Each structure stands twice: as C-alpha cells, then as structure tokens.
Amino acid sequence: MARTVADALVARLRDWEVARVFGYAGDGIDPLLAALHRAGGDPEFVQPRHEEMAAFMASGHAKYTGAPGVCLATQGPGAIHLLNGLYDAKLDRRPVVAVVGQVVSTALGTGYLQEVDLHALFKDVCGQYLQTVFAPEQLPVLLDNAMRTAIAERVPTCLIVPHDVQRADAVDELPHSHGVVPSSAVTARPRVVPAQEDLRRAAEVLGRGRRVALLVGRGAAGAEREIAEVVEKLGAGVTASLVGKPVLPEDPPWHTGVMGHLGTTASAELMAGCDTLLVVGCNDPWTEFYPRPDQARAVQIDIEARVVGSKYPVEVPLVGDAGEALRALLPLLPRNEDRSWQEEVFASVARWRELSGRRVRDPAEPLNPELVVHLLSGHIPLDAQVAVDVGSVTYWYARHLALPVGVPAHTSSYLASMGCALPYALAAKLHAPDRPALALAGDGAMQMNGLLELITVADRWRSWADPRFVVLVLHNRDLNEVTWEQREMEGDPRFPASQRVPEFPYARYAELLGLRGLRVDSPDEVDRAWHEAFTADRPVVVEAVVDPAVPLLAPHLPEGKAEMIYRGLDQEPGGERAREQVLRQRAEEGHDDR
C-alpha cells in the first residue's frame, strides 16, 4: 500500500515527539485514523467521550508537560466541539495543535453534509496559525509551522486536512523547485535577559522600598530559590496568583497565600500595605486586589513584553526569563536592615492561619467543604498531580490545600471553564501513569462532563502502573460560586431554577463503573475517606456531601458588597443560616455588620 498524506502526517508527529493524540472518530478523518492504526500506537490515540474533552486533554497535556498537546476531530460538529478546550489553551497561553478534517475539496462551497467554514470557525482561537493542506507537498511545512508557532507563541494552532488530501499519495522527496518549501521538525528557545540599565533602575526602585511585596505567578516557575533570596534581602512578603500557587511552598512565614477574590486575608493585607511591588511572571486579572495604582512603585518581570504594565502601572519593566532576571538583579539589590514590615507580614500570616484553622472547623450541614480540602493536605502523595475545576472548589483549593513541593496543579485560569478537572487529570495520568492523580470538582462540573470521563477512567485504569486516580466531588446540589455571585454582584437572591443541581449518587455511580466510591457526610469520616482513597487498588470517587451555605467571600470584602449579599440573602427563604455564616466570617476579619 502506498504511503498516504495521512501516514506522512502521523510520521511527522513522531518527528515532533508527540506521544499521544486526543481525538474522536468521524468519517472526515477516517484516513488519519487508519494511519494512526497502522502506526501501532506511536503516537497513541486517546479517545475521550467528546471532542471538547479531547481539546481539554490536549490543553492539560501542554500544562503538565510543557510540550504541545495535539487533538484531532472531524469536520462540522467535531470541529465545533473543540472550541472550548482550544480557547482554554489560548487564554492560558499553552501550545496545542488541532488537526481537523474537512469534506472533500471538490465539495467545498456546495453546502455539503457537515460542511462548515472552518477558517471562519477557528480564525480567532487559532489566529496565529491556521492553514488548510491543499496538496501533499504542503503537509510537512504546514505541520512544522503549526507546531513551531504553537511552541514559540504558546498558543493553539490548527491544520485543516480535507478528506481527499488525507487519502492522496504522500510525496516522500520534495522537488527542489519554485513554490515548494522544505522544512524540518525543529525548534529552540532563546535565553532572554533584561538590559543592564533596566536592571539597575529596577534595583534602585526596589532598594528604596520600605514595604516591599512580591506577586508571583506561574511564569516564576524555576526561580524559587531566587525569589527566596530577594525576600530575604528586601525584608519582603510574597503572595501568589491562583495559577502561581504551585510555584512556591506556602509554609514560610513571609508567604501570605493566594491573592484575589478567592485568596487569603494575609494576601489582601500585604497588597493594601505595601509601598513597592515586584511582579514576577504574573498577569493576574484581579486588578482590584492589587495595590491602588497611586500606592506603590512597581517593577515587573515577564518573558512576554506584551503583558508588562498591562494590569498595574509599572515604573521599570524587565523583559526576560524570571530566573535569569532575578539572578542578574540580586547582586544589585541592597539589603534592607529594617525588618518591621516583614514582621507585620509574619503577624498577618499567623492571623490568617489561625483564622483558616477556625473556619475549617465551623459547623455546617452536614459537612464543611473547607474541612474536606484542608484535611486532604495531610494525604496528598509527594508525587501527585492535581487538577482543579472551576467553582467553589477553586476557593477551597486556593485557601486550604497545602501542595507538597514540586506537585503540579492546574485549572482553567483565564477562561475559567467548568469541566476541566477530569480531562486535565486524565492527560496528566496518561503522561505519567506511575504517579497518582487527583481531580477536585463540584457537582455541577461533574454533571457537565465529569461523569462521562469517569467512563474513560474506568476503561483505562488497569493499564496504569499506579492505579491511584482520586476524584473529589463536592456534592452541595448547587452551582455554588454563581449563587454567591448573584448575591454579591447583583444583590439578588439565589434563583433555584438556574442554580439547583439535580441529586445524583456519585459514589454509587463509581461503583457501577467498577471503581471505588466513598460517600462522606460527617466530619469524623473525612480523614478515613482520604486514607482509603489514596491506598485503594483502583480509582476512587470521594463524594463529600457539603453545605452550600458556607460563604464564598473575598478577604476583607468591601462594605457595599457585603450589603449586597445581605440584601440577596434576606430575599431567600431559609437565607438566615447563610446570613449568620457571613456575619461570623466578617466579624472574624474585624468587620461589624450587625
């Protein structure tokens, strides 16, 4: 059998060291599926339950590995289903390559079955590189360009391959002639260091600061030692963005925890009290939780020039790799002998830790979700990989989960799309089947698509070297984050028709699939459940029946927003219990709303 363009495409993916392709079958990609079959599992074809999950898996693969994720779908509905996961990759700046089928070239423009304008469909999400292969000679260079662009720009790209082109004979040796462009499957990254004059200016600004704060994002990964040295020299405090949480261990007394609406009181106090801000590898969108624009002088380090100064007025931009920039900056920084500011930070952190310790023990009906996540910290394996869904579980992860050093954790950050945790965790597990995986989700996300991907877990777990794949479901029968947003942002009561999540037996469903299911509805059962989950011989779903009345409050919530929450709760039948919890948490932070 002659080698086809589909065979050449699969071989080129091997040249790029692509280990797996996440996709769903359709007749528009039948030749590509046959080529993957002939390739004997190199790369491996991974079938989720839906094309959206394939794109989320590709995005998750990129997040956990740093290498491009590849997803595959047919034309029409298959291609359309990819969009959400591709936008996740776009907004979080992760390299993904989508390979999409199309109707035969002779039918394009005729209104053929499943024909959609794929260039119009993908022109935003894959706008950096979006091409159609019209001739076999184009395949190598277009795929190489899609891969190189995805890697260099950290974006999703898309290659459209019509059905007839997939079936055409491959061109094994390109002619050296006009209009034929040769290519190779290679790329590299530069060493990027800020200009010396910018480093001197940055050192002057930071050296004059008496109350220095660092805001650390995921772009600071690999610069942990340098950050600690800067903190020691300047007597500074540190906070992290949500996606920057895994970068640094949170046990030092100068680490205030995560910043933002889902952050800690200590982080809010750090930002409110500083006079100088050093932003390292962070482009966090929660700008109301930064210092006031006229409050602090700022220096920002980032590898991407486009984000420097985009969220806060920056006096000195340092464009470069975070580690390289900090290593060049450190010798220029004077030592601040006055440690009074850092002592304030230590005291603020101690207050938060005491406060969070009380909150996780607050009574709830039947179970406090904060306690569930807090106790998880004592059970996470040191080599785990963590995936976090969007919703109330993100708050408890941000505030209460102590990640072991080096444990990666990812969520859908800028897109904030529900339904990311299960496909992310599967991508992580498929990449490292000898490491335990942990997915944290709410019942809304589980019903959106998590229940489907548990079928994938059930289908694949027996092939994993380490069978541990633990899924926490916070079962509160409510789209809880949006419920609290309705109260805080609009002053409206919970709208049951929009917010109610139907009752579902998550643990029993897991058992039906041949997995282990643990249902927890008492504080006394939580530690035992976590122990059983991480010592089980198969994947486990921990169904924690938790209280939706536990508040999702920003730290030191402004009085006007608190009044909106009370207004919404006062309109709800049975809102008194949640109101009392809000009053208690506000009083613990020093606000008297009674």
Side-chain angles (χ1 to χ4, degrees), residues 35-50:
L36 285 164
H37 190 189
R38 287 191 290 273
D42 184 17
E44 177 189 12
F45 179 76
V46 177
Q47 183 206 73
R49 313 277 57 79
H50 192 284

Side-chain angles (χ1 to χ4, degrees), residues 475 477 503 507 517-521 525 528 541-545:
H475 182 176
R477 302 164 301 283
E503 188 70 43
L518 300 172
R519 192 175 191 272
V520 182
D521 58 9
E525 300 171 345
R528 175 189 55 79
V541 172
V542 177
E543 177 188 357
V545 184

Side-chain angles (χ1 to χ4, degrees), residues 563-591:
E563 290 173 355
M564 296 280 273
I565 289 175
Y566 295 134
R567 191 175 84 189
L569 289 170
D570 288 345
Q571 300 173 68
E572 293 182 26
E576 298 83 2
R577 195 165 61 83
R579 193 182 206 282
E580 284 302 311
Q581 295 206 46
V582 174
L583 283 166
R584 181 174 64 245
Q585 289 201 7
R586 292 274 293 160
E588 289 172 340
E589 294 181 6
H591 308 284

Side-chain angles (χ1 to χ4, degrees), residues 465-549:
D466 184 330
R468 289 175 296 174
F469 188 102
V470 178
V471 180
L472 169 65
V473 184
L474 292 182
H475 182 176
N476 57 20
R477 302 164 301 283
D478 187 51
L479 296 176
N480 203 229
E481 184 177 9
V482 175
T483 290
W484 283 97
E485 287 171 343
Q486 288 175 346
R487 295 162 180 155
E488 177 187 331
M489 298 171 67
E490 315 299 336
D492 289 334
R494 176 180 182 269
F495 178 33
S498 75
Q499 297 309 107
R500 185 183 68 87
V501 175
E503 188 70 43
F504 188 86
Y506 302 94
R508 283 194 287 135
Y509 176 71
E511 297 278 352
L512 180 68
L513 292 174
L515 311 177
R516 182 86 185 277
L518 300 172
R519 192 175 191 272
V520 182
D521 58 9
S522 166
D524 298 335
E525 300 171 345
V526 177
D527 257 324
R528 175 189 55 79
W530 285 129
H531 173 74
E532 290 186 18
F534 285 107
T535 56
D537 64 351
R538 66 192 59 211
V540 177
V541 172
V542 177
E543 177 188 357
V545 184
V546 297
D547 191 348

Side-chain angles (χ1 to χ4, degrees), residues 126-146:
C126 296
Q128 296 259 21
Y129 196 82
L130 169 61
Q131 294 293 331
T132 296
V133 180
F134 288 110
E137 291 83 357
Q138 289 180 288
L139 185 277
V141 65
L142 295 191
L143 181 56
D144 290 348
N145 286 346

Side-chain angles (χ1 to χ4, degrees), residues 21 40 43 62 70 74 86 132 173 197 289 424 430 451 482 498 513 518 548:
V21 174
V70 177
T74 190
L86 293 178
T132 296
E173 290 189 18
E197 178 57 30
F289 294 94
Y424 278 11
L430 291 169
L451 294 172
V482 175
S498 75
L513 292 174
L518 300 172

Side-chain angles (χ1 to χ4, degrees), residues 237-250:
V238 172
T239 186
S241 68
L242 175 64
V243 294
K245 178 180 170 76
V247 170
L248 297 169
E250 294 179 76

Side-chain angles (χ1 to χ4, degrees), residues 271-564:
M271 293 287 97
C274 69
D275 65 11
T276 308
L277 179 65
L278 173 58
V279 183
V280 185
C282 181
N283 191 35
D284 194 283
W286 295 96
T287 53
E288 68 268 40
F289 294 94
Y290 285 66
R292 295 187 319 275
D294 60 349
Q295 173 189 324
R297 302 178 74 186
V299 173
Q300 184 171 1
I301 300 170
D302 208 285
I303 192 71
E304 296 186 46
R306 70 182 185 89
V307 308
V308 177
S310 67
K311 298 296 187 296
Y312 191 80
V314 166
E315 191 169 338
V316 183
L318 297 177
V319 176
D321 173 78
E324 296 277 6
L326 289 172
R327 283 190 289 275
L329 180 63
L330 272 163
L332 306 176
L333 292 176
R335 178 177 171 80
N336 178 12
E337 301 297 340
D338 180 2
R339 297 288 143 149
S340 57
W341 163 242
Q342 198 168 59
E343 289 169 4
E344 287 184 41
V345 173
F346 290 177
S348 181
V349 171
R351 284 194 302 274
W352 162 249
R353 290 176 181 171
E354 192 274 333
L355 174 60
S356 66
R358 288 205 310 272
R359 283 186 180 174
V360 302
R361 301 293 174 181
D362 280 346
E365 296 180 10
L367 183 58
N368 188 334
E370 297 182 273
L371 178 68
V372 176
V373 177
H374 169 74
L375 292 178
L376 168 60
S377 299
H379 296 273
I380 297 182
L382 299 180
D383 59 345
Q385 300 184 95
V386 179
V388 185
D389 223 297
V390 171
S392 63
V393 72
T394 322
Y395 281 70
W396 314 139
Y397 156 76
R399 291 176 180 171
H400 299 299
L401 189 62
L403 291 169
V405 174
V407 166
H410 293 286
T411 188
S412 177
S413 175
Y414 262 78
L415 186 62
S417 176
M418 288 173 62
C420 63
L422 264 294
Y424 278 11
L426 273 161
K429 189 68 174 177
L430 291 169
H431 171 67
D434 57 338
R435 296 176 63 177
L438 171 65
L440 309 178
D443 47 7
M446 284 302 291
Q447 291 193 21
M448 184 172 281
N449 54 39
L451 294 172
L452 290 177
E453 288 313 315
L454 280 180
I455 299 172
T456 310
V457 174
D459 181 58
R460 301 188 68 105
W461 72 267
R462 289 175 180 81
S463 67
W464 297 335
D466 184 330
R468 289 175 296 174
F469 188 102
V470 178
V471 180
L472 169 65
V473 184
L474 292 182
H475 182 176
N476 57 20
R477 302 164 301 283
D478 187 51
L479 296 176
N480 203 229
E481 184 177 9
V482 175
T483 290
W484 283 97
E485 287 171 343
Q486 288 175 346
R487 295 162 180 155
E488 177 187 331
M489 298 171 67
E490 315 299 336
D492 289 334
R494 176 180 182 269
F495 178 33
S498 75
Q499 297 309 107
R500 185 183 68 87
V501 175
E503 188 70 43
F504 188 86
Y506 302 94
R508 283 194 287 135
Y509 176 71
E511 297 278 352
L512 180 68
L513 292 174
L515 311 177
R516 182 86 185 277
L518 300 172
R519 192 175 191 272
V520 182
D521 58 9
S522 166
D524 298 335
E525 300 171 345
V526 177
D527 257 324
R528 175 189 55 79
W530 285 129
H531 173 74
E532 290 186 18
F534 285 107
T535 56
D537 64 351
R538 66 192 59 211
V540 177
V541 172
V542 177
E543 177 188 357
V545 184
V546 297
D547 191 348
V550 175
L552 301 181
L553 303 182
H556 295 297
L557 185 73
E559 186 175 317
K561 291 203 167 189
E563 290 173 355
M564 296 280 273

